[in-house]
Amino acid sequence: MMNNLHEPVMINEVKSFIPKEKNINLIDATFGGGSYTKSILNDFNNKNLIAIDRDPISIMFAKEIKIKFKNFELFN
């Protein structure tokens, strides 16, 4: 397991735009280490969350999330 030291500084602002009463699909187009994705998956009931990142290291962070959340997929 690899530690992600990135602190998502705008997570509350981002999550304020996600409706809590709807079961929606989301895209995280800047996955990186997965901090935003993890927080959103923990706090919302999403149909699917698709993450996109071109950095190969993001695959390592995504593996841990995929174990816990079956509605998550990373496209690298």
Side-chain angles (χ1 to χ4, degrees), residues 13-49:
E13 290 83 356
V14 170
K15 291 189 327 187
S16 73
F17 288 98
I18 302 171
K20 287 198 175 259
E21 65 281 351
K22 293 183 180 178
N23 189 9
I24 63 173
N25 295 309
L26 294 171
I27 297 173
D28 179 349
T30 58
F31 178 75
S35 298
Y36 283 81
T37 291
K38 226 187 299 190
S39 181
I40 290 167
L41 287 168
N42 279 317
D43 293 348
F44 294 89
N45 183 23
N46 304 301
K47 281 185 187 177
N48 296 292
L49 195 151

Side-chain angles (χ1 to χ4, degrees), residues 38 41-42 64-73:
K38 226 187 299 190
L41 287 168
N42 279 317
E64 177 188 335
I65 297 171
K66 185 68 175 167
I67 291 169
K68 186 174 177 184
F69 297 98
K70 303 303 178 201
N71 61 336
F72 166 73
E73 189 67 45

